[in-house]
Amino acid sequence: MTDPTGTVADAQKDNWLDRHAPEPIKPYGRLARWDRPIGFYLLFWPCAWGIGLAALAQPAFGFGWWAAVLMFLGAILMRGAGCTFNDIVDRDIDMKVARTRSRPIPSGQVTSREAFYFLVAQALLASAILFQFNRFTVYAAIASLVLVAIYPFMKRITWWPQLFLGLAFSYGALVGWSSQTGGLSWAPVVLYLGTILWVIGYDTIYALQDIEDDALVGVKSTARLFGDNVRPAVAVLYAGAFLLWNVASLMAGGGVIFAGLSLVAAGLLAWQLWTLDKEVPRNPFNRFYNNHYVGMALTLALLAEWVW
């Protein structure tokens, strides 16, 4: 049943958007998930890692603070555009899933055409930010739109939609680096590969919330694929991510400071798995949200390595 106030079922209760935004803005804010910043945090952190890794490789150049600000704003816009596109594509599926049927399109708050216009507006604003960077970064970011475009369809045809989310959501590791260097090398590629594993892991945890509805409507996911082996499977993904992050740091000139401080991130990942219980309401979501702090911890570890 749709909430008469328009609030989305899985939104944080009493969030700022529902409390303070003008009524005509609220449905669009819900489309872009402004009430749930975790998505743009997770899109931004790989950008910060790429910038930080570049700082290790060229210490005299330093950490690209202005690039980080621009990429944070870009992450908000591109995450909003991606969610809007996803909701347009998934509007029929969303009607059949309890957690998503109160979203703006299936609940009738916004038409698909209005959502499309909003998608275009967000993309244009994101483009204005993107063109502040060097040509290589612009071309690389444009190429990533292919991944963004195909992701919503993957849950219909493969058990690994989380892989395609990882390819898209981890891309900031590459553009963060290239924004500082004008190109690529093996260190950011290894960082990117590790981040893909991380995204597959945390989105598998997130997908546990919908596992029963997904089975009913035929939506595929790694949560369904792994079944009772979700915990060991995600443990392998997280371990691989942690290993590759440290290899990337070493390749860029990092040392024991990053290696030591990155153990904080490892501890957070271990806590997620140790306390994961899909039978407890909000438990998977809270473990998924904890990855915001993983992103923060790794960024601080890179900054500390660069400073010292």
Side-chain angles (χ1 to χ4, degrees), residues 151 161-171 192 195-196 199-200:
Y151 164 67
Q162 280 71 25
L163 168 61
F164 291 89
L165 181 71
L167 292 169
F169 252 62
S170 303
Y171 210 84
Y192 177 59
T195 306
I196 291 170
V199 175
I200 297 172

Side-chain angles (χ1 to χ4, degrees), residues 20 29 36 54 60 108 115 214 266:
H20 300 303
R36 283 168 281 179
D214 286 350

Side-chain angles (χ1 to χ4, degrees), residues 85-210:
F85 178 66
N86 192 76
D87 282 8
I88 293 170
V89 172
D90 283 351
R91 58 191 182 276
D92 294 333
I93 291 177
D94 285 346
M95 282 290 295
K96 302 173 184 177
V97 177
R99 187 176 61 85
T100 59
R101 66 170 59 104
S102 56
R103 286 178 176 174
I105 297 177
S107 65
Q109 299 172 54
V110 173
T111 66
S112 295
R113 177 174 292 186
E114 290 168 339
F116 176 75
Y117 292 151
F118 182 52
L119 165 64
V120 172
Q122 292 175 94
L124 289 174
L125 288 172
S127 298
I129 292 174
L130 176 60
F131 285 115
Q132 306 304 308
F133 294 107
N134 61 64
R135 184 174 299 180
F136 184 93
T137 300
V138 171
Y139 290 153
I142 291 173
S144 73
L145 294 178
V146 175
L147 298 171
V148 175
I150 66 174
Y151 164 67
F153 301 98
M154 292 301 104
K155 64 175 69 73
R156 295 166 170 83
I157 61 176
T158 176
W159 288 101
W160 288 89
Q162 280 71 25
L163 168 61
F164 291 89
L165 181 71
L167 292 169
F169 252 62
S170 303
Y171 210 84
L174 302 178
V175 298
W177 171 282
S178 70
S179 72
Q180 306 302 293
T181 64
L184 287 178
S185 70
W186 282 110
V189 171
V190 172
L191 178 69
Y192 177 59
L193 295 174
T195 306
I196 291 170
L197 297 181
W198 177 57
V199 175
I200 297 172
Y202 73 57
D203 201 59
T204 298
I205 292 174
Y206 185 83
L208 289 173
Q209 300 173 101
D210 299 328

